[in-house]
Amino acid sequence: MNLRKLLALWALFAGVWRWGRGNPAALLLALAGLGGWYGYEALYVRPQMAYLGLPQATRWADPMTWTRVFRNHGYLAGYSELRGDPLWVIYALSAPPADAPHLKRLNRFVTDGRSLTRIGHDDYDKSGYDRGHLAPNHAISVLYGRAGQRDTFLMTNIVPQTAALNERVWERLEEVELDRLAPRLGKLWVVTGPVFEGGTERLKSAFRVEVPDACYKIYAAQGPDGAPRFLAVVVPQTVRGNEPLDRFVVTVDEVERRTGFDFFPGLDPKLEPTVEGEVDPVFWQVGEWAAVAGRYGDRKGK
């Protein structure tokens, strides 16, 4: 456990101590319950929702890489209160069931009451940016139902994206992962988030929200030999939207360097140079889907 997490846990226990110091029995009960809850979340539930561990900041002393982990229906989010954005989101996909529900898209995004920044739907109005889902509305609703869909509309799942990125390239990637990759591979893990480089830009409509320079996705699956396989993409905000998707393919090492996170801390160090430092387009059949068009074409105003 790094220093940041220790400090946060200490602050939580200190609060409980102040609350219950006049009643030792209640204090012991509260501390036991708090410890049990934290152990259940950190040691059991969250690891099951991630592949090879939760992302770990490699620059732990940098507050801009600090995250609070929020568990939702169908996905985990590592949220930055300082940036007003999730820095990573993890979800798992499988082949959609034949009788999967097709739920109507929600009209508004929701403030996440667990966050301190309290970003709301209206904070993006007239900002020039779309509210870009990281855990996707359609895939999560198909696999996890209405509760999952509602959770994808939490603002702690949203980053600012240009229309060309959100409505075209990002949509195409979401369709590829659900319709092509997950059915072929059986289970597909996705880690996704923003990339911040250069100067700092904030939404003109809400200074609490920082605008990323690009967004990434990392796909993870097991190969026929049981070894992990990865494919990463980084898509800049400046895309036109009709580029072939293989133009954005990079190594996992590059995404880690540009974001400051170790995304798979449980990976065998002997495998890292190969699986994180190289691209395997054959396993991922990149050539078969690089030029796929989006289901919704050039729709506007999402």
Side-chain angles (χ1 to χ4, degrees):
M1 184 181 297
N2 61 35
L3 178 61
R4 174 179 57 83
K5 291 183 178 178
L6 283 173
L7 290 174
L9 190 59
W10 171 255
L12 189 58
F13 273 94
V16 173
W17 175 267
R18 288 193 299 270
W19 168 79
R21 60 186 176 183
N23 188 332
L27 176 61
L28 289 175
L29 185 61
L31 289 174
L34 181 60
W37 168 83
Y38 184 82
Y40 175 72
E41 281 286 322
L43 302 177
Y44 181 71
V45 180
R46 294 176 185 174
Q48 292 193 77
M49 296 180 68
Y51 182 62
L52 295 174
L54 271 65
Q56 300 293 317
T58 56
R59 303 187 296 266
W60 63 267
D62 180 3
M64 302 307 282
T65 65
W66 294 358
T67 57
R68 299 179 61 205
V69 179
F70 296 147
R71 177 165 61 91
N72 303 292
H73 288 87
Y75 73 96
L76 290 173
Y79 185 74
S80 168
E81 301 284 2
L82 294 179
R83 295 192 188 273
D85 298 296
L87 301 189
W88 53 262
V89 162
I90 302 173
Y91 55 95
L93 299 178
S94 55
D99 59 348
H102 293 278
L103 303 176
K104 184 179 179 181
R105 180 184 171 90
L106 303 181
N107 292 325
R108 285 184 64 84
F109 293 78
V110 181
T111 298
D112 193 331
R114 299 168 296 182
S115 70
L116 303 177
T117 48
R118 310 290 293 180
I119 307 300
H121 177 99
D122 297 336
D123 285 315
Y124 276 62
D125 286 354
K126 299 180 181 180
S127 68
Y129 289 92
D130 284 5
R131 303 168 185 86
H133 282 82
L134 291 185
N137 159 50
H138 176 66
I140 298 298
S141 68
V142 164
L143 296 175
Y144 299 96
R146 177 66 76 181
Q149 183 191 48
R150 283 197 299 265
D151 280 358
T152 68
F153 279 80
L154 291 169
M155 292 300 295
T156 49
N157 180 47
I158 303 302
V159 297
Q161 291 181 331
T162 61
L165 170 56
N166 180 40
E167 300 168 23
R168 303 184 72 183
V169 176
W170 211 245
E171 177 200 310
R172 291 163 62 197
L173 287 169
E174 289 176 348
E175 291 177 21
V176 165
E177 64 196 42
L178 180 66
D179 298 341
R180 294 171 179 259
L181 296 180
R184 180 171 68 85
L185 298 171
K187 187 169 188 177
L188 177 72
W189 293 94
V190 187
V191 185
T192 180
V195 177
F196 299 94
E197 297 172 320
T200 300
E201 178 187 354
R202 298 274 177 170
L203 287 186
K204 60 184 180 182
S205 56
F207 189 78
R208 305 189 307 286
V209 181
E210 187 172 352
V211 178
D213 297 278
C215 290
Y216 69 85
K217 282 181 181 281
I218 304 174
Y219 298 126
Q222 287 189 330
D225 57 356
R229 300 287 194 277
F230 301 113
L231 182 73
V233 296
V234 174
V235 188
Q237 294 273 25
T238 54
V239 292
R240 299 187 309 276
N242 58 356
E243 297 92 340
L245 297 176
D246 57 356
R247 179 174 300 180
F248 309 112
V249 171
V250 298
T251 64
V252 174
D253 278 347
E254 179 173 338
V255 182
E256 291 183 334
R257 175 182 60 81
R258 296 172 68 176
T259 60
F261 282 95
D262 177 9
F263 288 105
F264 306 102
L267 179 66
D268 185 342
K270 296 179 181 179
L271 298 177
E272 282 193 39
T274 301
V275 298
E276 290 194 348
E278 300 177 4
V279 174
D280 185 359
V282 175
F283 174 81
W284 293 97
Q285 300 182 358
V286 174
E288 296 187 10
W289 47 262
V292 67
R295 181 181 292 118
Y296 300 105
D298 295 332
R299 61 180 179 158
K300 304 295 183 181
K302 181 177 178 183

